[in-house]
Structures are given as structure tokens and as C-alpha cells.
Coordinates of all heavy atoms in Angstrom, one line a residue:
M1 N 17.1 -24.6 5.8 CA 18.0 -24.1 6.9 C 18.3 -22.6 6.6 O 18.8 -22.3 5.5 CB 19.2 -24.9 6.9 CG 20.2 -24.5 8.0 SD 21.5 -25.7 8.0 CE 22.9 -24.7 8.2
A2 N 18.0 -21.8 7.5 CA 18.3 -20.4 7.3 C 19.7 -20.1 7.7 O 20.3 -20.6 8.6 CB 17.4 -19.6 8.3
T3 N 20.3 -19.2 6.9 CA 21.7 -18.8 7.1 C 21.7 -17.5 7.8 O 21.0 -16.6 7.5 CB 22.4 -18.7 5.7 OG1 22.3 -19.9 5.0 CG2 23.9 -18.4 5.9
T4 N 22.6 -17.4 8.8 CA 22.8 -16.2 9.5 C 24.1 -15.6 9.1 O 25.0 -16.3 8.6 CB 22.8 -16.3 11.0 OG1 23.8 -17.3 11.4 CG2 21.4 -16.8 11.5
I5 N 24.3 -14.3 9.2 CA 25.5 -13.6 8.8 C 26.0 -12.7 9.9 O 25.2 -12.1 10.6 CB 25.2 -12.9 7.5 CG1 26.5 -12.3 6.9 CG2 24.2 -11.8 7.7 CD1 26.3 -11.8 5.4
R6 N 27.3 -12.8 10.1 CA 27.9 -11.9 11.1 C 29.1 -11.2 10.4 O 30.0 -11.8 10.0 CB 28.5 -12.8 12.2 CG 29.0 -11.9 13.4 CD 29.5 -12.7 14.5 NE 30.7 -13.5 14.1 CZ 31.1 -14.6 14.6 NH1 30.6 -15.0 15.7 NH2 32.2 -15.2 14.2
P7 N 28.9 -9.9 10.3 CA 29.9 -9.1 9.6 C 31.2 -9.0 10.4 O 31.2 -9.1 11.6 CB 29.3 -7.7 9.4 CG 28.3 -7.6 10.5 CD 27.8 -9.0 10.8
L8 N 32.3 -8.8 9.7 CA 33.6 -8.7 10.3 C 34.0 -7.2 10.6 O 33.5 -6.3 9.9 CB 34.7 -9.3 9.4 CG 34.5 -10.8 9.0 CD1 35.5 -11.2 8.0 CD2 34.5 -11.6 10.3
D9 N 34.9 -7.0 11.5 CA 35.4 -5.7 11.9 C 34.4 -4.6 12.0 O 33.4 -4.8 12.7 CB 36.5 -5.3 10.9 CG 37.7 -6.2 10.9 OD1 38.0 -6.7 12.0 OD2 38.4 -6.5 9.9
D10 N 34.5 -3.5 11.2 CA 33.6 -2.4 11.4 C 32.5 -2.4 10.3 O 31.9 -1.3 10.0 CB 34.4 -1.0 11.3 CG 35.0 -0.8 10.0 OD1 35.3 -1.8 9.3 OD2 35.3 0.4 9.7
R11 N 32.2 -3.6 9.8 CA 31.1 -3.6 8.8 C 29.7 -3.9 9.5 O 29.7 -4.5 10.6 CB 31.4 -4.8 7.9 CG 32.6 -4.4 7.0 CD 32.9 -5.6 6.0 NE 34.0 -5.2 5.1 CZ 35.3 -5.3 5.4 NH1 35.6 -5.8 6.6 NH2 36.2 -5.0 4.5
I12 N 28.7 -3.4 8.8 CA 27.3 -3.7 9.3 C 26.5 -4.2 8.1 O 26.8 -4.0 6.9 CB 26.7 -2.3 9.8 CG1 26.7 -1.3 8.7 CG2 27.4 -1.9 11.1 CD1 26.0 0.0 9.2
V13 N 25.4 -4.9 8.4 CA 24.5 -5.5 7.4 C 23.2 -4.7 7.5 O 22.7 -4.5 8.6 CB 24.3 -7.0 7.7 CG1 23.3 -7.5 6.7 CG2 25.5 -7.8 7.7
I14 N 22.8 -4.2 6.3 CA 21.6 -3.4 6.2 C 20.6 -4.0 5.4 O 20.9 -4.6 4.3 CB 22.0 -2.0 5.6 CG1 23.1 -1.3 6.3 CG2 20.8 -1.1 5.3 CD1 22.6 -0.6 7.5
K15 N 19.3 -4.0 5.8 CA 18.2 -4.3 4.9 C 17.6 -3.0 4.4 O 17.1 -2.2 5.2 CB 17.2 -5.2 5.7 CG 16.1 -5.7 4.8 CD 15.3 -6.8 5.5 CE 14.2 -7.4 4.7 NZ 13.8 -7.0 3.4
E16 N 17.6 -2.8 3.1 CA 17.1 -1.6 2.6 C 15.6 -1.4 2.8 O 14.9 -2.3 2.7 CB 17.5 -1.4 1.1 CG 19.0 -1.4 0.8 CD 19.3 -1.3 -0.6 OE1 18.5 -1.7 -1.5 OE2 20.4 -0.9 -1.0
I17 N 15.2 -0.1 3.0 CA 13.8 0.2 3.1 C 13.5 0.8 1.7 O 14.1 1.7 1.2 CB 13.6 1.3 4.2 CG1 13.9 0.6 5.5 CG2 12.1 1.7 4.2 CD1 13.9 1.6 6.7
E18 N 12.5 0.2 1.1 CA 12.2 0.6 -0.3 C 11.8 2.1 -0.4 O 11.1 2.6 0.5 CB 11.0 -0.3 -0.8 CG 11.4 -1.7 -1.1 CD 12.5 -1.9 -2.1 OE1 12.5 -1.2 -3.1 OE2 13.4 -2.7 -1.8
A19 N 12.1 2.7 -1.6 CA 11.7 4.1 -1.8 C 10.2 4.2 -2.0 O 9.6 3.2 -2.4 CB 12.5 4.6 -3.1
E20 N 9.7 5.4 -1.9 CA 8.3 5.7 -2.1 C 7.9 5.3 -3.5 O 8.6 5.6 -4.4 CB 8.0 7.1 -1.8 CG 8.2 7.5 -0.3 CD 7.2 6.9 0.6 OE1 6.0 6.8 0.2 OE2 7.6 6.5 1.7
E21 N 6.7 4.8 -3.6 CA 6.1 4.5 -4.9 C 5.3 5.7 -5.5 O 5.0 5.7 -6.7 CB 5.3 3.3 -4.9 CG 6.1 2.0 -4.5 CD 5.2 0.8 -4.5 OE1 4.1 0.8 -5.0 OE2 5.7 -0.2 -3.9
K22 N 5.0 6.6 -4.7 CA 4.2 7.8 -5.1 C 4.9 9.1 -4.8 O 5.6 9.2 -3.8 CB 2.8 7.8 -4.4 CG 1.8 6.9 -4.8 CD 0.5 7.1 -4.1 CE -0.5 6.1 -4.5 NZ -1.8 6.3 -3.9
T23 N 4.7 10.1 -5.6 CA 5.3 11.4 -5.3 C 4.4 12.1 -4.3 O 3.3 11.6 -4.0 CB 5.4 12.3 -6.6 OG1 4.1 12.5 -7.1 CG2 6.2 11.6 -7.6
S24 N 4.8 13.2 -3.8 CA 3.9 14.0 -2.8 C 2.6 14.5 -3.5 O 1.6 14.7 -2.8 CB 4.7 15.2 -2.3 OG 5.2 16.0 -3.3
G25 N 2.7 14.6 -4.8 CA 1.5 15.0 -5.6 C 0.5 13.8 -5.9 O -0.5 14.0 -6.5
G26 N 0.9 12.6 -5.6 CA 0.1 11.4 -5.8 C 0.4 10.7 -7.0 O -0.4 9.8 -7.4
I27 N 1.4 11.0 -7.8 CA 1.7 10.3 -9.0 C 2.5 9.0 -8.7 O 3.4 9.0 -7.9 CB 2.6 11.2 -9.9 CG1 1.9 12.5 -10.3 CG2 3.1 10.5 -11.2 CD1 2.7 13.5 -11.0
V28 N 2.0 7.9 -9.3 CA 2.6 6.6 -9.0 C 3.8 6.5 -9.9 O 3.8 6.7 -11.1 CB 1.6 5.5 -9.3 CG1 2.3 4.1 -9.1 CG2 0.4 5.6 -8.4
L29 N 5.0 6.2 -9.3 CA 6.2 6.0 -10.1 C 6.5 4.6 -10.5 O 6.3 3.7 -9.7 CB 7.4 6.5 -9.2 CG 7.4 7.9 -8.8 CD1 8.6 8.1 -7.8 CD2 7.6 8.8 -10.0
P30 N 6.9 4.4 -11.8 CA 7.2 3.0 -12.2 C 8.6 2.6 -11.7 O 9.3 3.5 -11.2 CB 7.3 3.2 -13.8 CG 7.6 4.6 -14.0 CD 6.9 5.4 -12.9
D31 N 8.9 1.3 -11.7 CA 10.2 0.9 -11.1 C 11.4 1.6 -11.7 O 12.3 1.8 -11.0 CB 10.3 -0.7 -11.4 CG 9.4 -1.5 -10.5 OD1 8.9 -1.0 -9.5 OD2 9.1 -2.6 -10.9
T32 N 11.4 1.9 -13.0 CA 12.5 2.5 -13.6 C 12.7 3.9 -13.2 O 13.8 4.4 -13.3 CB 12.3 2.5 -15.2 OG1 11.1 3.1 -15.5 CG2 12.4 1.0 -15.7
A33 N 11.7 4.6 -12.7 CA 11.8 6.0 -12.3 C 12.2 6.2 -10.8 O 12.6 7.3 -10.4 CB 10.6 6.8 -12.6
R34 N 12.1 5.1 -10.0 CA 12.4 5.2 -8.6 C 13.9 5.3 -8.4 O 14.7 4.7 -9.1 CB 11.9 4.0 -7.9 CG 10.4 3.9 -7.7 CD 10.0 2.8 -6.8 NE 8.7 2.3 -7.3 CZ 8.3 1.1 -7.2 NH1 9.0 0.2 -6.6 NH2 7.1 0.8 -7.6
E35 N 14.2 6.0 -7.3 CA 15.7 6.2 -7.0 C 16.1 5.0 -6.1 O 15.3 4.3 -5.5 CB 15.9 7.4 -6.1 CG 15.7 8.7 -7.0 CD 16.1 9.9 -6.1 OE1 16.8 9.8 -5.1 OE2 15.7 11.0 -6.6
K36 N 17.4 4.7 -6.1 CA 17.9 3.6 -5.3 C 17.7 4.0 -3.8 O 17.8 5.2 -3.5 CB 19.4 3.5 -5.5 CG 19.8 2.8 -6.7 CD 21.3 2.6 -6.8 CE 21.8 1.7 -5.7 NZ 22.7 0.7 -6.1
P37 N 17.3 3.0 -3.0 CA 17.0 3.3 -1.6 C 18.3 3.8 -1.0 O 19.4 3.3 -1.2 CB 16.6 2.0 -1.0 CG 16.3 1.1 -2.2 CD 17.0 1.6 -3.3
Q38 N 18.2 4.8 -0.1 CA 19.3 5.3 0.7 C 19.0 5.2 2.2 O 19.7 5.8 3.0 CB 19.6 6.7 0.3 CG 20.1 6.9 -1.1 CD 20.4 8.3 -1.5 OE1 19.5 9.0 -1.9 NE2 21.5 8.8 -1.2
R39 N 18.1 4.4 2.5 CA 17.6 4.3 3.9 C 17.5 2.8 4.2 O 17.1 2.0 3.3 CB 16.3 4.9 4.0 CG 15.9 5.2 5.4 CD 14.6 6.1 5.3 NE 14.3 6.5 6.7 CZ 13.6 7.5 7.0 NH1 13.2 8.3 6.0 NH2 13.3 7.8 8.2
G40 N 17.9 2.4 5.4 CA 17.8 1.0 5.7 C 17.8 0.7 7.2 O 18.0 1.6 8.0
R41 N 17.6 -0.5 7.6 CA 17.6 -1.0 9.0 C 18.7 -1.9 9.2 O 19.0 -2.8 8.4 CB 16.2 -1.6 9.3 CG 16.0 -1.9 10.7 CD 14.6 -2.2 11.1 NE 13.6 -1.3 10.6 CZ 13.3 -0.1 11.1 NH1 13.9 0.3 12.2 NH2 12.4 0.6 10.6
V42 N 19.5 -1.7 10.3 CA 20.6 -2.5 10.6 C 20.1 -3.8 11.1 O 19.3 -3.9 12.1 CB 21.5 -1.8 11.7 CG1 22.7 -2.6 12.1 CG2 22.0 -0.4 11.2
V43 N 20.6 -4.9 10.5 CA 20.2 -6.3 10.9 C 21.4 -7.0 11.6 O 21.1 -8.0 12.3 CB 19.7 -7.1 9.8 CG1 18.4 -6.5 9.3 CG2 20.6 -7.2 8.6
A44 N 22.6 -6.6 11.4 CA 23.8 -7.2 12.1 C 24.9 -6.2 12.2 O 25.1 -5.4 11.3 CB 24.2 -8.4 11.4
V45 N 25.7 -6.3 13.2 CA 26.8 -5.4 13.5 C 28.1 -6.2 13.8 O 28.0 -7.1 14.6 CB 26.5 -4.4 14.6 CG1 27.7 -3.5 14.9 CG2 25.3 -3.6 14.4
G46 N 29.2 -5.8 13.2 CA 30.5 -6.5 13.5 C 31.0 -6.1 14.8 O 30.5 -5.2 15.5
P47 N 32.1 -6.7 15.3 CA 32.7 -6.4 16.6 C 33.4 -5.1 16.7 O 33.7 -4.6 17.8 CB 33.7 -7.6 16.8 CG 34.0 -8.0 15.4 CD 32.8 -7.7 14.6
G48 N 33.7 -4.4 15.6 CA 34.4 -3.1 15.6 C 35.8 -3.3 15.0 O 36.4 -4.4 14.9
K49 N 36.3 -2.1 14.5 CA 37.6 -2.1 13.9 C 38.7 -2.4 14.9 O 38.7 -1.9 16.0 CB 37.9 -0.8 13.3 CG 39.1 -0.7 12.4 CD 39.2 0.7 11.8 CE 40.4 0.8 10.9 NZ 40.5 2.0 10.2
L50 N 39.7 -3.3 14.5 CA 40.8 -3.6 15.3 C 41.8 -2.5 15.3 O 42.3 -2.1 14.2 CB 41.4 -4.9 14.8 CG 42.5 -5.6 15.7 CD1 42.0 -5.9 17.1 CD2 43.1 -6.8 15.1
L51 N 42.1 -1.9 16.4 CA 43.1 -0.8 16.5 C 44.5 -1.3 16.6 O 44.7 -2.5 16.9 CB 42.7 0.0 17.7 CG 41.3 0.6 17.7 CD1 41.0 1.3 19.0 CD2 41.1 1.6 16.6
D52 N 45.5 -0.4 16.5 CA 46.9 -0.8 16.6 C 47.3 -1.4 17.9 O 48.2 -2.2 18.0 CB 47.8 0.4 16.3 CG 47.7 0.8 14.8 OD1 47.3 0.0 14.0 OD2 47.9 2.0 14.5
N53 N 46.6 -0.9 19.0 CA 46.9 -1.4 20.3 C 46.3 -2.8 20.7 O 46.4 -3.3 21.8 CB 46.6 -0.4 21.4 CG 45.1 -0.1 21.5 OD1 44.3 -0.7 20.8 ND2 44.7 0.9 22.2
G54 N 45.5 -3.3 19.7 CA 44.9 -4.6 19.9 C 43.5 -4.6 20.4 O 42.8 -5.6 20.5
N55 N 43.0 -3.4 20.8 CA 41.6 -3.2 21.2 C 40.7 -3.0 20.0 O 41.2 -2.8 18.9 CB 41.5 -2.0 22.2 CG 42.2 -2.2 23.5 OD1 42.4 -3.4 23.9 ND2 42.6 -1.1 24.1
R56 N 39.4 -3.1 20.2 CA 38.5 -2.9 19.1 C 37.7 -1.6 19.4 O 37.3 -1.3 20.5 CB 37.5 -4.0 19.1 CG 38.1 -5.3 18.6 CD 37.1 -6.1 17.8 NE 37.8 -7.3 17.3 CZ 38.2 -7.5 16.0 NH1 38.0 -6.5 15.2 NH2 38.7 -8.6 15.6
A57 N 37.6 -0.8 18.3 CA 36.8 0.5 18.4 C 35.3 0.1 18.4 O 34.9 -0.8 17.7 CB 37.1 1.3 17.2
E58 N 34.6 0.8 19.3 CA 33.2 0.5 19.5 C 32.4 1.1 18.3 O 32.7 2.2 17.8 CB 32.7 1.2 20.8 CG 31.3 0.8 21.2 CD 30.9 1.3 22.5 OE1 31.8 1.2 23.4 OE2 29.8 1.8 22.7
I59 N 31.4 0.3 17.8 CA 30.6 0.8 16.7 C 29.4 1.5 17.3 O 28.8 1.1 18.3 CB 30.1 -0.4 15.8 CG1 31.3 -1.0 15.1 CG2 29.0 0.0 14.9 CD1 31.0 -2.1 14.2
G60 N 29.1 2.7 16.7 CA 28.0 3.5 17.3 C 26.6 3.1 16.8 O 25.6 3.9 17.0
L61 N 26.4 2.0 16.2 CA 25.1 1.5 15.8 C 24.8 0.2 16.4 O 25.7 -0.5 16.9 CB 25.1 1.3 14.2 CG 25.4 2.6 13.4 CD1 25.7 2.2 12.0 CD2 24.3 3.5 13.5
K62 N 23.5 -0.2 16.5 CA 23.1 -1.4 17.0 C 22.0 -2.0 16.1 O 21.4 -1.3 15.3 CB 22.6 -1.3 18.4 CG 21.4 -0.5 18.6 CD 21.1 -0.4 20.1 CE 19.9 0.4 20.4 NZ 19.8 1.7 19.8
E63 N 21.7 -3.3 16.2 CA 20.6 -3.9 15.4 C 19.3 -3.2 15.7 O 19.0 -2.8 16.8 CB 20.5 -5.4 15.8 CG 21.6 -6.2 15.4 CD 21.5 -7.7 15.7 OE1 20.3 -8.1 15.9 OE2 22.5 -8.4 15.8
G64 N 18.6 -2.9 14.6 CA 17.3 -2.2 14.6 C 17.4 -0.8 14.3 O 16.4 -0.1 14.1
D65 N 18.6 -0.2 14.4 CA 18.7 1.3 14.0 C 18.4 1.5 12.6 O 18.7 0.7 11.7 CB 20.2 1.7 14.3 CG 20.5 1.9 15.8 OD1 19.6 1.9 16.6 OD2 21.7 2.1 16.1
E66 N 17.7 2.6 12.3 CA 17.5 3.0 11.0 C 18.5 4.1 10.5 O 18.8 5.0 11.3 CB 16.1 3.7 10.9 CG 15.5 3.8 9.5 CD 14.1 4.2 9.4 OE1 13.3 3.6 10.1 OE2 13.8 5.1 8.6
V67 N 19.1 3.9 9.4 CA 20.3 4.7 9.0 C 20.1 5.2 7.5 O 19.3 4.6 6.7 CB 21.6 3.9 9.1 CG1 21.9 3.6 10.5 CG2 21.6 2.7 8.2
L68 N 20.8 6.2 7.2 CA 20.9 6.8 5.8 C 22.3 6.5 5.3 O 23.3 6.6 6.1 CB 20.7 8.3 5.8 CG 19.3 8.7 6.3 CD1 19.2 10.2 6.3 CD2 18.2 8.2 5.5
F69 N 22.5 6.1 4.1 CA 23.8 5.8 3.5 C 23.8 6.3 2.1 O 22.8 6.6 1.5 CB 24.1 4.3 3.6 CG 23.0 3.4 3.1 CD1 23.0 3.1 1.7 CD2 22.0 2.9 3.9 CE1 22.0 2.3 1.2 CE2 21.0 2.1 3.4 CZ 21.0 1.8 2.1
G70 N 25.0 6.4 1.5 CA 25.2 6.8 0.1 C 24.6 5.9 -0.9 O 24.4 4.7 -0.6
K71 N 24.2 6.5 -2.0 CA 23.5 5.7 -3.1 C 24.3 4.5 -3.5 O 23.7 3.4 -3.7 CB 23.3 6.6 -4.3 CG 22.0 7.1 -4.4 CD 21.8 7.9 -5.7 CE 20.6 8.8 -5.6 NZ 20.4 9.5 -6.8
Y72 N 25.6 4.6 -3.7 CA 26.4 3.5 -4.2 C 27.3 2.9 -3.2 O 28.3 2.2 -3.5 CB 27.1 4.0 -5.4 CG 26.2 4.5 -6.5 CD1 26.0 5.9 -6.7 CD2 25.4 3.6 -7.2 CE1 25.1 6.3 -7.6 CE2 24.5 4.1 -8.2 CZ 24.4 5.4 -8.4 OH 23.5 5.9 -9.3
A73 N 27.0 3.1 -1.9 CA 27.9 2.6 -0.8 C 27.6 1.1 -0.6 O 26.5 0.6 -0.8 CB 27.6 3.4 0.5
G74 N 28.7 0.4 -0.2 CA 28.6 -1.0 0.2 C 28.5 -2.0 -0.9 O 28.6 -1.6 -2.1
T75 N 28.2 -3.2 -0.5 CA 28.1 -4.3 -1.5 C 26.8 -5.0 -1.3 O 26.4 -5.4 -0.2 CB 29.2 -5.4 -1.2 OG1 30.5 -4.7 -1.2 CG2 29.2 -6.5 -2.1
E76 N 26.1 -5.1 -2.4 CA 24.7 -5.8 -2.3 C 24.9 -7.3 -2.6 O 25.6 -7.7 -3.5 CB 23.8 -5.2 -3.4 CG 23.5 -3.7 -3.1 CD 22.7 -3.1 -4.2 OE1 22.4 -3.7 -5.3 OE2 22.3 -1.9 -4.1
I77 N 24.2 -8.1 -1.7 CA 24.3 -9.5 -1.9 C 22.9 -10.1 -1.7 O 22.0 -9.4 -1.1 CB 25.3 -10.2 -1.0 CG1 24.9 -10.0 0.5 CG2 26.7 -9.8 -1.3 CD1 25.7 -10.9 1.4
K78 N 22.6 -11.3 -2.1 CA 21.3 -11.9 -1.9 C 21.6 -13.1 -1.0 O 22.4 -13.9 -1.2 CB 20.8 -12.4 -3.3 CG 19.3 -12.7 -3.2 CD 18.8 -12.8 -4.7 CE 17.3 -12.5 -4.6 NZ 16.7 -12.5 -6.0
L79 N 20.8 -13.1 0.1 CA 21.0 -14.2 1.1 C 19.6 -14.7 1.5 O 18.7 -13.9 1.9 CB 21.7 -13.6 2.3 CG 22.0 -14.6 3.5 CD1 23.1 -15.6 3.0 CD2 22.5 -13.8 4.7
N80 N 19.3 -16.0 1.4 CA 18.0 -16.5 1.7 C 16.9 -15.9 1.0 O 15.8 -15.6 1.5 CB 17.7 -16.5 3.2 CG 18.7 -17.2 4.1 OD1 19.3 -18.2 3.6 ND2 19.0 -16.8 5.3
G81 N 17.2 -15.5 -0.3 CA 16.1 -14.8 -1.1 C 15.9 -13.4 -0.8 O 15.1 -12.7 -1.4
E82 N 16.6 -12.8 0.1 CA 16.5 -11.4 0.5 C 17.8 -10.6 0.1 O 18.9 -11.1 0.2 CB 16.3 -11.2 2.0 CG 15.0 -11.6 2.5 CD 14.9 -11.2 4.0 OE1 15.5 -11.9 4.8 OE2 14.2 -10.3 4.3
E83 N 17.5 -9.4 -0.5 CA 18.7 -8.6 -0.8 C 19.1 -7.8 0.4 O 18.3 -7.1 1.0 CB 18.3 -7.7 -2.0 CG 18.2 -8.4 -3.3 CD 18.1 -7.5 -4.5 OE1 18.5 -6.3 -4.4 OE2 17.6 -8.0 -5.5
I84 N 20.4 -7.9 0.7 CA 20.9 -7.1 1.8 C 22.2 -6.4 1.3 O 22.7 -6.6 0.3 CB 21.3 -8.0 3.0 CG1 22.3 -9.1 2.6 CG2 20.1 -8.6 3.6 CD1 22.9 -9.9 3.8
K85 N 22.6 -5.4 2.1 CA 23.8 -4.6 1.8 C 24.8 -4.7 3.0 O 24.4 -4.5 4.1 CB 23.3 -3.2 1.5 CG 24.4 -2.3 1.0 CD 23.8 -0.9 0.6 CE 23.4 -1.0 -0.8 NZ 23.6 0.1 -1.6
I86 N 26.0 -4.9 2.6 CA 27.1 -4.9 3.7 C 27.9 -3.7 3.4 O 28.4 -3.4 2.3 CB 28.0 -6.2 3.6 CG1 27.1 -7.4 3.8 CG2 29.1 -6.1 4.6 CD1 27.8 -8.7 3.7
L87 N 28.1 -2.8 4.5 CA 28.9 -1.6 4.3 C 29.7 -1.3 5.6 O 29.4 -1.9 6.6 CB 28.1 -0.4 3.9 CG 26.8 -0.1 4.6 CD1 26.8 1.3 5.2 CD2 25.7 -0.2 3.6
R88 N 30.7 -0.5 5.5 CA 31.5 -0.1 6.6 C 30.7 0.9 7.4 O 29.9 1.7 6.9 CB 32.8 0.5 6.2 CG 33.7 -0.6 5.6 CD 35.1 0.0 5.4 NE 36.0 -1.0 4.8 CZ 36.7 -1.9 5.6 NH1 36.6 -1.8 6.9 NH2 37.5 -2.8 5.0
E89 N 31.0 1.0 8.7 CA 30.4 2.0 9.5 C 30.6 3.4 9.0 O 29.7 4.3 9.0 CB 30.9 1.9 11.0 CG 30.2 2.9 11.9 CD 30.9 2.9 13.3 OE1 32.0 2.6 13.4 OE2 30.2 3.3 14.2
S90 N 31.8 3.7 8.4 CA 32.1 5.0 7.9 C 31.2 5.4 6.6 O 31.2 6.5 6.3 CB 33.6 5.1 7.5 OG 33.9 4.1 6.6
D91 N 30.6 4.4 6.0 CA 29.7 4.6 4.8 C 28.3 5.1 5.3 O 27.6 5.6 4.4 CB 29.6 3.4 4.0 CG 30.8 3.0 3.2 OD1 31.7 3.9 3.0 OD2 31.0 1.8 2.9
V92 N 28.0 5.0 6.5 CA 26.7 5.4 7.1 C 26.8 6.9 7.3 O 27.7 7.4 7.9 CB 26.4 4.7 8.4 CG1 25.1 5.3 9.0 CG2 26.2 3.2 8.2
L93 N 25.8 7.6 6.7 CA 25.8 9.1 6.7 C 25.2 9.6 8.0 O 25.6 10.6 8.6 CB 25.1 9.7 5.5 CG 25.7 9.2 4.2 CD1 24.8 9.8 3.0 CD2 27.1 9.7 4.0
A94 N 24.1 9.0 8.4 CA 23.3 9.4 9.6 C 22.5 8.3 10.2 O 22.1 7.4 9.5 CB 22.5 10.6 9.2
K95 N 22.1 8.5 11.4 CA 21.2 7.6 12.1 C 19.9 8.3 12.2 O 19.8 9.5 12.6 CB 21.8 7.3 13.5 CG 21.0 6.3 14.3 CD 21.8 6.0 15.5 CE 21.1 5.3 16.6 NZ 21.9 5.0 17.8
V96 N 18.8 7.7 11.8 CA 17.5 8.3 11.8 C 16.9 8.2 13.3 O 16.8 7.1 13.8 CB 16.5 7.7 10.8 CG1 15.1 8.3 10.9 CG2 17.1 7.8 9.4
I97 N 16.6 9.3 13.8 CA 16.0 9.4 15.2 C 14.5 9.7 15.0 O 14.2 10.8 14.5 CB 16.6 10.4 16.1 CG1 18.2 10.3 16.1 CG2 16.1 10.4 17.5 CD1 18.7 9.0 16.7
S98 N 13.6 8.9 15.5 CA 12.2 9.2 15.3 C 11.4 9.1 16.6 O 11.9 8.7 17.6 CB 11.5 8.2 14.3 OG 11.8 6.9 14.6

């Protein structure tokens, strides 16, 4: 049975996109030399932060968006054998437009 996840408030769920295995010069990097991924795809979005007036702030991201985030932002968890990251919308640095 597959488990689905729905983040609360202004949190989003990200599936990280793996870092490059080769440098621009063609050198293959071992696992220990690779940097932590800072790019990912949004797989779930919460309803938005609850404001003082009772309304919810709209989140500027949607499922499928590709985003950049800080190296150590969010919380990493394993769900259904996949590693995902849960972070707040404010931890997202940019949305990748291609």
C-alpha cells in the first residue's frame, strides 16, 4: 500500500534532483566528492500559512515546479523507499523557469 503525504500550512514536499556525476571537464566524481543536491521537484504543497485574520496565505508554488533551496534547508525523511525533503516555502530560494 503506497502512502501519500500532504504537508501542513506553508510546507512543501520536494524530491531532490541528484547532482551531476561528471564535471564540465568530463571527470567522474565519486559519491564522497559530490555536493548535496540543492535542486528539486515539488511533489506536494500545503494549503498555505494561516494568517491572523483566519485566511490562508497563497503559496506561490505548485506540484511539478522545479526549485532551488539551501544546502541544509528542511527535513529529510524516507517514505516508501524514497528520500524526500519537507521544507517551508520561505526556505525555497528560487523557482527554475525553463
Side-chain angles (χ1 to χ4, degrees):
M1 180 172 137
T3 305
T4 57
I5 188 167
R6 186 178 65 201
L8 302 175
D9 295 328
D10 65 336
R11 290 180 178 83
I12 58 174
V13 178
I14 303 280
K15 184 166 181 2
E16 293 177 341
I17 297 173
E18 291 301 318
E20 292 293 321
E21 294 182 17
K22 285 185 181 181
T23 65
S24 57
I27 298 171
V28 177
L29 296 173
D31 289 339
T32 55
R34 287 189 211 147
E35 291 187 18
K36 282 185 69 134
Q38 291 179 271
R39 196 173 186 152
R41 189 163 311 280
V42 178
V43 294
V45 179
K49 185 175 183 177
L50 188 60
L51 303 174
D52 291 335
N53 64 6
N55 294 333
R56 293 216 175 252
E58 189 174 318
I59 293 184
L61 299 169
K62 62 183 183 310
E63 290 181 24
D65 284 347
E66 194 171 313
V67 295
L68 301 176
F69 50 88
K71 259 186 198 179
Y72 302 104
T75 304
E76 295 176 353
I77 62 169
K78 200 168 204 172
L79 183 70
N80 298 332
E82 287 186 286
E83 288 191 21
I84 60 171
K85 185 173 274 220
I86 299 175
L87 48 123
R88 291 188 178 274
E89 181 186 26
S90 59
D91 291 335
V92 174
L93 304 174
K95 183 173 165 179
V96 177
I97 308 294
S98 48

